[in-house]
Amino acid sequence: MKLSRPVSWFLLAFGVWSWFIWITFVKNLWKDGSGLAFDDAGDPTAYFWVHLLLAVASFLLGTAIGVIGFRGVRALRREAANHPPEPPASSSSSSSAT
């Protein structure tokens, strides 16, 4: 299957976005002081484990999507390098009316 250039770049950007968002989310979850993620004894709560699992799953899916996009961009660049564009056709007309 061949991906178009815009789709490849979108998937790659989505993967990078996922890394940024979910790593930031886990850092904030780890530092949570509201009492949702950790109980009074400092032990993780069910809220913490569920959201950590969601973050890890989303991080892995985002990584897979980003890899697909990266491979699409790389394939398009390799194809462009192997098949340089043809020069434009001459616009002069050789037919004449007499």
Side-chain angles (χ1 to χ4, degrees), residues 93-98:
S93 176
S94 61
S95 63
S96 60
T98 45

Side-chain angles (χ1 to χ4, degrees), residues 51-69:
H51 285 82
L52 183 63
L53 180 63
L54 289 170
V56 168
S58 296
F59 178 73
L60 292 174
L61 289 171
T63 300
I65 290 169
V67 167
I68 292 168

Side-chain angles (χ1 to χ4, degrees), residues 38-77:
F38 298 97
D39 61 15
D40 293 334
D43 296 325
T45 62
Y47 176 91
F48 174 84
W49 292 114
V50 167
H51 285 82
L52 183 63
L53 180 63
L54 289 170
V56 168
S58 296
F59 178 73
L60 292 174
L61 289 171
T63 300
I65 290 169
V67 167
I68 292 168
F70 176 74
R71 291 177 69 188
V73 168
R74 193 174 62 187
L76 288 168
R77 287 188 176 178

